[in-house]
Amino acid sequence: MRYVKSVFLSVTFCLLASVVFAYAAHVDIGEALKRKIIRYQAVKSSSGLDITVTNLLHDSVYVEIGSGWIFPTADESMQPQVVSRSHMICLAEGEERRARLLTLCGNAPGRTVPQGYAEFLKPVLGKSDMVATLRELEPYKMDRKCIIQNIVWHYTNGHTMANFHPGNTGIDEYLTAMHVFQANEPDVVDPGYRIRYRESLHPEESVFTGASEEIEGHVSIKVNAATNCTVALLDQNGMLLKPLKYVNDQQPGEYSLSFKSYVLDLPKGNYSVAVFDKEGKTLGALPVEI
Amino acid sequence: MNIRIVLMVVYLLSAVHVIAQSVSPSVKDLDFAMVAEQFNTCNDKREPMTFLSGCSIAGDDELLRKNPIEIMFNPIAKVDREDCLLMRWDPVLRAWKKFPGNRLNNTFEGRNAYWSAVVDASGHYALMKEIANHGSTQLLIPGGYAAEEWKYVQPNLGIVCEGFSTTRTIAVPVMNLSPLAQISLKFRKNGEPVSVLSGLYVGQVVKDVWKDPDAINGSYELSLTTSK
């Protein structure tokens, strides 16, 4: 009986120890730094961060750097780096390893971090909504696509869905990203148009130029009698700036007409895209902010 | 003093408004009645085409080059898109000409199909259908008269032809003159002033065109006849 009891206690202890061991061995970067399990250094590279992690534990350790972790810069005017794809670094006792983290810009108007920059502060976990969205997008491997950067700027800079331009994103990937984003953010309203900003001279960097180059979207109209329609961009006072489209003999019904307009020549402000019939009556309008 | 300032502000505002109006491009409808009155429906080979619909774009060409306008047409029943062209009016030739990108594409707005083309210059644009069989029919005005300018308008086929002549013969470039077609003429008899008639039909007898100075109580009759 005594023998059985000691065996039982031994097994229980082993199980408990294995749980404790497993907990200690598999940590995220925040926990690892808090518990001083690791030491690290991050250096900006061409497509992210080169991170060198040293295991300080007298045991092997698995350090997870999940998507949504932000590496702030010591200089606040520079762009913090947001991890866009989770990375697991396995380290043996005392081992040092280097890994490449894929990152995105975490502050749209911030200055680009030059390659070799190493003054990163202790990483912090981003907003839970951003983390959830990025984690759900991870399996689609769209890290390098514009839409993922736009989603990050939604969380870090308050960009609206109007800034979610597909850019270099294929239509299927774009729709997937939008689907995941909207599932996580059901309260965010789609304004019905998208703004394409002028691209940076260095496309490999996540630079937000802030210069609106083109808007595209859809405006809904209701036509009661067949008419010719003009889709036009109007200024804040309702003055016609640019006719965008002319539809001959539009039949009665409800329609959603697409539009696209070059806007780099317009100052930032509030505008609208409206549809007029041949008598000048407004059939539908969509406010747009450039 | 105050009135002057107010007047100046009003003047400036109206000037800005006028400038904005003159620079901003605008699109206006172009229907068959306008085409019949101001244009024709012939291409630069002087072959008549069928006018289907159109529009006029006014504004700064530089702006339009940067901001092209998409022209969309609802597909027309029993008309093949491949047979249609969007053509631009050449005011010098007084003819409709092709321009780069004038082929119509099939585009969709939701589930609705349209024929579309993109234009980046001001001018008059018309959706035209080429006529398969070209021909010519002579229209004769009475002897002693010379038709100087003429216009043939056939609304049922969307055809408008026009021309000049120094004789009594008008060569209308259509296979058959329609009884529905209307003809307008500027014509004269030797030594007499130009007379204008409009809204004539083929075969119509027109009385009392003008008083003959040599026959004060007499009148001329003008009838239009055809010969192939």
Side-chain angles (χ1 to χ4, degrees):
Chain A
M1 186 63 190
R2 198 174 168 183
Y3 174 73
V4 172
K5 194 177 177 182
S6 63
V7 167
F8 174 75
L9 282 172
S10 306
V11 169
T12 309
F13 176 76
C14 284
L15 279 171
L16 209 66
S18 69
V19 168
V20 170
F21 171 77
Y23 179 69
H26 190 160
V27 289
D28 67 34
I29 189 164
E31 184 71 12
L33 289 170
K34 192 176 163 191
R35 290 169 58 189
K36 296 190 171 62
I37 290 171
I38 58 158
R39 182 176 67 226
Y40 83 99
Q41 193 190 15
V43 178
K44 182 74 175 78
S45 66
S46 64
S47 57
L49 288 180
D50 281 341
I51 188 165
T52 308
V53 182
T54 310
N55 183 6
L56 304 176
L57 205 64
H58 295 295
D59 199 350
S60 58
V61 67
Y62 294 82
V63 180
E64 187 185 2
I65 309 171
S67 50
W69 277 94
I70 302 171
F71 286 78
T73 47
D75 181 349
E76 281 185 8
S77 67
M78 299 187 99
Q79 295 172 343
Q81 300 296 301
V82 179
V83 177
S84 61
R85 195 183 302 187
S86 298
H87 210 98
M88 178 77 83
I89 304 171
C90 312
L91 298 155
E93 184 184 341
E95 190 185 5
E96 182 179 281
R97 268 180 189 258
R98 206 166 92 152
R100 168 78 48 98
L101 298 177
L102 295 175
T103 60
L104 295 163
C105 161
N107 180 19
R111 284 190 296 136
T112 309
V113 178
Q115 283 191 41
Y117 179 89
E119 292 171 41
F120 289 100
L121 303 178
K122 197 174 159 185
V124 290
L125 192 58
K127 288 178 186 170
S128 57
D129 291 350
M130 179 176 81
V131 174
T133 306
L134 288 178
R135 287 209 173 148
E136 282 184 44
L137 285 166
E138 259 189 71
Y140 303 103
K141 297 176 182 166
M142 290 191 269
D143 319 65
R144 298 291 99 200
K145 304 293 182 185
C146 280
I147 186 63
I148 306 300
Q149 178 63 80
N150 292 332
I151 287 173
V152 168
W153 283 335
H154 166 79
Y155 293 105
T156 60
N157 294 88
H159 284 190
T160 66
M161 276 180 80
N163 300 69
F164 288 13
H165 194 278
N168 67 350
T169 318
I171 188 68
D172 289 342
E173 290 174 318
Y174 174 76
L175 291 174
T176 303
M178 292 308 299
H179 178 74
V180 170
F181 174 78
Q182 285 181 310
N184 281 303
E185 300 289 347
D187 297 332
V188 176
V189 179
D190 188 339
Y193 66 95
R194 298 285 181 266
I195 302 171
R196 180 169 59 76
Y197 291 93
R198 191 168 55 194
E199 278 185 16
S200 157
L201 294 172
H202 308 284
E204 72 280 1
E205 294 169 354
S206 293
V207 177
F208 178 66
T209 63
S212 317
E213 198 165 60
E214 190 179 72
I215 56 164
E216 58 181 304
H218 287 83
V219 56
S220 299
I221 59 166
K222 189 175 180 185
V223 182
N224 295 321
T227 186
N228 298 335
C229 310
T230 305
V231 183
L233 182 68
L234 313 179
D235 70 7
Q236 203 169 6
N237 303 316
M239 287 275 288
L240 189 146
L241 293 174
K242 297 174 184 184
L244 310 176
K245 186 176 266 190
Y246 173 84
V247 187
N248 187 273
D249 192 28
Q250 182 66 69
Q251 294 301 303
E254 290 183 12
Y255 301 92
S256 176
L257 294 179
S258 64
F259 65 84
K260 191 185 266 194
S261 176
Y262 175 80
V263 293
L264 195 56
D265 51 348
L266 296 176
K268 287 195 174 294
N270 294 314
Y271 299 83
S272 66
V273 174
V275 184
F276 303 103
D277 67 6
K278 60 197 298 181
E279 276 85 36
K281 186 182 148 201
T282 307
L283 301 173
L286 179 76
V288 295
E289 192 182 339
I290 295 169
Chain B
M1 183 67 182
N2 284 344
I3 290 171
R4 275 188 192 171
I5 292 168
V6 169
L7 283 173
M8 250 169 79
V9 169
V10 169
Y11 173 77
L12 278 171
L13 282 173
S14 59
V16 167
H17 182 78
V18 166
I19 289 165
Q21 288 276 314
S22 62
V23 172
S24 297
S26 63
V27 190
K28 284 182 180 164
D29 300 337
L30 182 65
D31 59 22
F32 184 73
M34 293 177 200
V35 172
E37 194 186 325
Q38 299 170 36
F39 310 100
N40 59 50
T41 63
C42 296
N43 61 19
D44 50 358
K45 293 177 198 161
R46 299 291 159 200
E47 293 166 346
M49 298 176 293
T50 295
F51 173 88
L52 298 169
S53 68
C55 64
S56 299
I57 295 172
D60 182 52
D61 276 347
E62 190 60 35
L63 258 177
L64 281 163
R65 235 187 316 281
K66 283 185 184 168
N67 302 278
I69 299 173
E70 188 177 10
I71 310 287
M72 296 167 66
F73 299 94
N74 254 303
I76 298 162
K78 295 178 186 172
V79 177
D80 192 345
R81 177 176 58 91
E82 299 286 323
D83 296 337
C84 299
L85 289 172
L86 188 64
M87 304 188 89
R88 184 159 54 208
W89 176 249
D90 186 325
V92 178
L93 287 178
R94 282 198 65 78
W96 296 93
K97 286 177 72 176
K98 294 175 184 174
F99 60 96
N102 71 333
R103 279 263 160 215
L104 294 164
N105 299 310
N106 233 353
T107 54
F108 284 86
E109 291 284 353
R111 277 179 290 177
N112 302 299
Y114 295 88
W115 299 344
S116 77
V118 174
V119 298
D120 62 357
S122 61
H124 304 286
Y125 292 87
L127 180 66
M128 296 287 196
K129 183 175 179 281
E130 290 180 332
I131 294 171
N133 300 317
H134 294 289
S136 182
T137 308
Q138 302 287 322
L139 187 62
L140 297 175
I141 62 171
Y145 293 92
E148 293 200 336
E149 280 179 39
W150 58 270
K151 188 172 256 186
Y152 173 89
V153 179
Q154 193 177 335
N156 64 327
L157 278 184
I159 292 174
V160 180
C161 306
E162 61 181 17
F164 301 90
S165 174
T166 52
T167 65
R168 63 182 291 231
T169 307
I170 299 166
V172 184
V174 292
M175 286 286 275
N176 294 299
L177 296 180
S178 164
L180 299 170
Q182 291 198 346
I183 295 148
S184 52
L185 286 173
K186 266 187 187 176
F187 63 98
R188 74 162 82 214
K189 193 179 179 183
N190 277 343
E192 289 185 359
V194 172
S195 190
V196 180
L197 282 177
S198 58
L200 300 173
Y201 295 96
V202 177
Q204 184 179 357
V205 176
V206 185
K207 291 185 178 176
D208 300 328
V209 176
W210 70 85
K211 297 279 185 186
D212 191 300
D214 299 327
I216 293 165
N217 297 319
S219 65
Y220 290 94
E221 288 186 355
L222 178 68
S223 64
L224 299 171
T225 51
T226 59
S227 69
K228 293 239 172 166

